Each structure stands twice: as C-alpha cells, then as structure tokens.
Amino acid sequence: MFGISKLTGAVFVSLMAGTAFAQPLKIGWIQGNAAFQAEQRTQDGFKKYLADNSISDWEVTFLDSAGAAEKVANNIDDAVNRGVDVIYITYADLRASSNALKSAEAAKIPVYTVDSGWIPGSTADITTNNWQMSAEVSLSLISQMKGKGNLIIITTDKIKPVRERTDTLRAILKEYPEVKIIGEYNFDVANFYQETLNAVQDFATRYGSDINAVWTPWDEPAQAAITALQGAGLNVPVSGMDGHPEAIKAVCAKDSMFVATGRQQFEEWGAKLAEYAKRAKVDGEDPKSVTNGKDIVYYGATLFTKDNCQ
C-alpha cells in the first residue's frame, strides 16, 4: 500500500512492498489544485495501474499548486531541480509555465499533462473533448429552460478546459436569443466552492424567481450553486460537468435541481499516465511515441441526465 508522509511543500509517496526495477522511477506530480475530485480519481487510476502491473517501487512527489498559475511554474522548476524522471501536471493553468517547461525539456524530462492544454515543452496532454461535452450538457440545460428565460453563468477563465466549455456555451446561446444572461461570475480557482456559493446567494437575492437556470463549469460548483439556491427557497435547473459519483447520485435524486453532467474518464487518464511513464522510462520507448506522436490525446465524455438514472 501507499505509505504517505508529509514533506515541506509536498507529499512523498513510496511504494516499498517489493522492487520491480533496479532503480525506482522518480515522478514529480504537480497538481493544479489538490482539492479537485478529479485529482483524486486520476490518482486512483494511476494506483490501480501500478497494482495491476505489480509495480511497487516508484517514488512520487506531489506538489499542490492551489489554483495558482505561478505556483505551477515554480513546482515544475522544483521537480526539475529534484532530478525526477517524469513530470505529471494535472488540471493546471500553464500560462505562466513556458520557461519552466523549457527547463524540463532541456533536462530531457518528459512532461505529461492532464486537462491542462498543450503548450511547447509539454510532451502530451490527456483531455476530454470539452467542446463536445459542453455542447451536450449546455443544450440539455437549455432544453430544461425550453429555449428561453434567464440564465446565470458561473465560470473561471483560469483553466483552459473551462474556457473551452464556456466558449461553447456562448456559441450555442447565439442560436437561442430568448435565453438572457442576467448574471455571470468568474471565480478564483483556489476558492471555487465558497466563491460559487457566495455568488449564487447574491444572484438569488437580486433576481429571486426570475432565475430560470444556472450553468456551472464542473460538478463541485454546481453543488455549491444548488446549496445556495436551496437556501434562498428557489428550485431551478443546474448543470455541471465531470460526472463524479456524488453528482450522479444528485442528478438521480428525486426532485433534484442537478439536471445534467458530463461523465469524464479520470481513472483511465491516471492509468495512461502510469503507462506512458513505464513505456518511456522503463521500457525505453521514445516519450513522444507512447502517445503515437499526438500532442493532445482526446477522450470523449458521456452526457448524464435523469433519463440515464435507470
């Protein structure tokens, strides 16, 4: 099992049940925000791959960036200085990381990212087709509105996949002129749940029953929005994305306001991260060839609504 001990600014994970290779692989895992459920599910898939393949001696250092782009860059530099064999970056804002990624590239350290967008210096990014997922979820929410009414948008411009999801919603709304955006809030990723809760409480106070729907960029903000709406005595449809187990249960609950989410393949992504590292650094394959030369490896997402609860 994973033995976890606190280190300064990091969590060190050592798999010591046995020795799979002569030298343990050293991985620097840079998290965009350790509080994301997606981070935990990706780690679950990674751990399962190691267990299924009897790998027990890899050393993983987790560095939490707490939603800050500058911290992501600093953590990349830290991983390079530690002399890791592979770097993972998950659910992060890479807009401040160009120089840090160049340092990793110069050190010949492959960098595999998840849902963070590809920029030069990254070996490959694993991600959902966010345009496809947002199109299906957004259209489902608009259907709940019957194509008209007042919409609240909760979003953030700090994460590339969320920008894609929000841009898709805006493109769709051009075809629905009777849907009016009466409120929009751009939250800080570091405090996404509380800021969503506060913003929706404010909108509920200002607009009350004039609110016909709330669109959010993923499941946890959706659940925060629902909590705020319930506190205000309102019952309107809310959408999210990710398809976490709690969200699926919420969608299927009787009289729930949570009407739609998109199910992503987080555990599969974690397994792929482990596979890429093994093939590149243990089996000796070219780090780029393990993704068939692709800069971006796209996965589909599945729309989940109350119709799927059976």
Side-chain angles (χ1 to χ4, degrees):
M1 297 298 290
F2 284 77
I4 303 177
S5 60
K6 294 282 185 180
L7 296 180
T8 303
V11 176
F12 175 75
V13 178
S14 181
L15 303 161
M16 299 300 294
T19 303
F21 307 108
Q23 281 191 313
L25 201 64
K26 295 181 179 180
I27 295 172
W29 192 319
I30 297 158
Q31 301 168 302
N33 190 330
F36 291 165
Q37 288 184 343
E39 295 277 9
Q40 310 309 316
R41 290 179 59 189
T42 304
Q43 289 175 41
D44 288 344
F46 176 82
K47 293 174 186 177
K48 186 176 186 302
Y49 181 94
L50 298 191
D52 289 347
N53 289 273
S54 301
I55 298 171
S56 58
D57 65 345
W58 287 9
E59 298 174 359
V60 183
T61 302
F62 289 96
L63 298 167
D64 181 13
S65 304
E70 294 76 13
K71 189 72 179 291
V72 174
N74 292 338
N75 283 337
I76 296 170
D77 285 332
D78 184 280
V80 172
N81 292 333
R82 287 172 184 266
V84 301
D85 298 300
V86 179
I87 293 173
Y88 299 150
I89 306 173
T90 47
Y91 313 101
D93 184 350
L94 297 179
R95 289 181 292 180
S97 295
S98 291
N99 290 335
L101 286 171
K102 289 175 183 176
S103 296
E105 190 173 35
K108 300 189 183 305
I109 302 171
V111 179
Y112 297 108
T113 66
V114 170
D115 225 18
S116 301
W118 183 90
I119 65 173
S122 168
T123 307
D125 183 56
I126 303 171
T127 188
T128 286
N129 184 331
N130 285 284
W131 296 278
Q132 169 251 327
M133 179 170 63
S134 180
E136 294 187 5
V137 172
S138 300
L139 284 167
S140 180
L141 183 66
I142 292 168
S143 175
Q144 289 283 328
M145 301 173 69
K146 302 189 185 306
K148 61 183 178 181
N150 297 321
L151 177 67
I152 299 292
I153 297 176
I154 304 296
T155 189
T156 180
D157 61 6
K158 303 299 184 183
I159 306 176
K160 184 177 184 289
V162 173
R163 294 196 297 272
E164 294 169 355
R165 297 171 194 181
T166 310
D167 288 346
T168 301
L169 170 66
R170 295 191 198 285
I172 290 170
L173 289 177
K174 291 178 181 178
E175 300 299 324
Y176 292 89
E178 292 187 79
V179 175
K180 307 295 183 185
I181 300 170
I182 60 169
E184 182 169 341
Y185 186 79
N186 191 321
F187 59 67
D188 179 359
V189 177
N191 199 25
F192 63 88
Y193 190 93
Q194 189 61 48
E195 287 198 19
T196 298
L197 187 71
N198 294 343
V200 177
Q201 285 173 339
D202 179 59
F203 288 134
T205 299
R206 278 195 273 168
Y207 299 114
S209 59
D210 287 338
I211 300 172
N212 297 117
V214 178
W215 184 98
T216 73
W218 69 83
D219 289 342
E220 291 107 313
Q223 290 165 321
I226 289 169
T227 298
L229 292 165
Q230 287 173 332
L234 298 176
N235 189 343
V236 299
V238 177
S239 67
M241 280 171 256
D242 279 352
H244 293 313
E246 296 85 352
I248 297 301
K249 290 179 182 177
V251 170
C252 293
K254 185 179 179 181
D255 300 323
S256 172
M257 286 187 270
F258 207 145
V259 298
T261 187
R263 302 184 79 169
Q264 299 194 82
Q265 301 178 52
F266 300 113
E267 289 82 4
E268 177 68 14
W269 299 351
K272 279 297 177 186
L273 288 177
E275 178 192 326
Y276 293 163
K278 178 181 180 298
R279 290 173 60 188
K281 303 305 286 189
V282 178
D283 300 339
E285 296 184 45
D286 179 78
K288 196 73 179 178
S289 71
V290 301
T291 62
N292 296 319
K294 295 177 181 178
D295 293 332
I296 303 175
V297 180
Y298 281 114
Y299 281 77
T302 306
L303 175 67
F304 190 93
T305 70
K306 292 182 187 298
D307 292 339
N308 304 109
C309 291
Q310 297 303 317

